[in-house]
Amino acid sequence: IHAGDVSGRGWPTEISNFLDWFKDLDYKYKIFIAGNHDFYFEDLKEEFEYEDIIYLNDSGITIEGINIWGSPVQPEFYDWAFNRNRGAEIDKHWQLIPNDTDILITHGPPFGYLDETAQKDKVGCVDLLKRIDIVKPKVHIFGHIHEGYGTTIKDNNTLFINASVLDEHYKMMNAPIVIEYSTE
């Protein structure tokens, strides 16, 4: 699962390089969402399909009994892709998340969970956190705030994963986070 920012600026060559690399990974299922750097996907006017890769954009899929939902939107952040204003504009995306979601993938974090910037500001989305409190997914995977890399568990037993492999200077510093998920 890749939680977005598959490119630097969303240029077609960057997207193509990512997709070629991703499709060749030795996993049965490969799922990704776009992120705020991925303008290519924001500009798409039709569904996106690519060899053995699942792309989620305010959409979901059930794989081997696991309900997975993904959305690339995040609260407004400079002039990047998939920005939405906080409040009603972004909340309409979160209301699409089905109540039976097991794994939630968003680009941005919920407020207060692995969302702290280098300046110590918490920049996650309050409306997303409210929806998570209702849905109670078992796992929530995101990135966007590079400084928030890591995992934590909420009292409702949701495992939060900030899977950003880059640091705030866009240097590859963090290892991919691997989890095992059981339907039992």
Side-chain angles (χ1 to χ4, degrees):
I1 294 175
H2 194 291
D5 285 351
V6 304
S7 67
R9 294 292 299 174
W11 293 322
T13 54
E14 294 175 313
I15 301 301
S16 179
N17 289 340
F18 167 78
L19 294 171
D20 287 342
W21 168 78
F22 201 53
K23 78 174 174 57
D24 288 339
L25 292 177
D26 191 23
Y27 295 98
K28 186 173 182 179
Y29 303 105
K30 294 165 275 272
I31 304 165
F32 82 101
I33 62 169
N36 62 299
H37 286 254
D38 304 324
F39 289 96
Y40 174 89
F41 294 101
E42 187 172 53
D43 295 337
L44 277 180
K45 302 300 180 214
E46 68 274 345
E47 291 293 315
F48 177 81
E49 293 184 20
Y50 195 85
E51 307 171 41
D52 299 323
I53 294 175
I54 300 161
Y55 172 64
L56 300 177
N57 182 356
D58 281 343
S59 59
I61 190 166
T62 300
I63 297 175
E64 297 186 20
I66 302 168
N67 297 320
I68 305 167
W69 184 266
S71 177
V73 302
Q74 78 275 321
E76 193 163 352
F77 186 76
Y78 298 104
D79 191 20
W80 291 91
F82 298 103
N83 280 338
R84 301 297 184 269
N85 291 320
R86 292 179 187 270
E89 185 179 344
I90 200 165
D91 191 48
K92 70 181 179 183
H93 292 274
W94 307 146
Q95 293 307 313
L96 297 172
I97 301 168
N99 288 337
D100 64 348
T101 299
D102 297 307
I103 299 175
L104 176 61
I105 312 163
T106 62
H107 185 58
F111 182 80
Y113 291 88
L114 307 171
D115 67 334
E116 192 171 291
T117 67
Q119 294 77 30
K120 304 295 183 204
D121 296 323
K122 291 191 180 296
V123 296
C125 183
V126 171
D127 293 306
L128 176 56
L129 181 59
K130 288 177 185 175
R131 186 68 183 145
I132 288 168
D133 284 342
I134 293 168
V135 174
K136 296 179 178 38
K138 293 173 184 67
V139 180
H140 180 201
I141 302 168
F142 49 90
H144 188 47
I145 305 304
H146 302 190
E147 305 95 303
Y149 171 83
T151 65
T152 191
I153 296 179
K154 185 172 173 29
D155 56 359
N156 70 11
N157 294 323
T158 296
L159 172 63
F160 291 99
I161 301 172
N162 182 327
S164 181
V165 295
L166 303 179
D167 69 7
E168 65 269 20
H169 304 291
Y170 296 92
K171 301 272 191 257
M172 183 80 77
M173 297 298 289
N174 302 317
I177 295 173
V178 178
I179 63 166
E180 289 190 29
Y181 186 96
S182 174
T183 56
E184 296 174 10

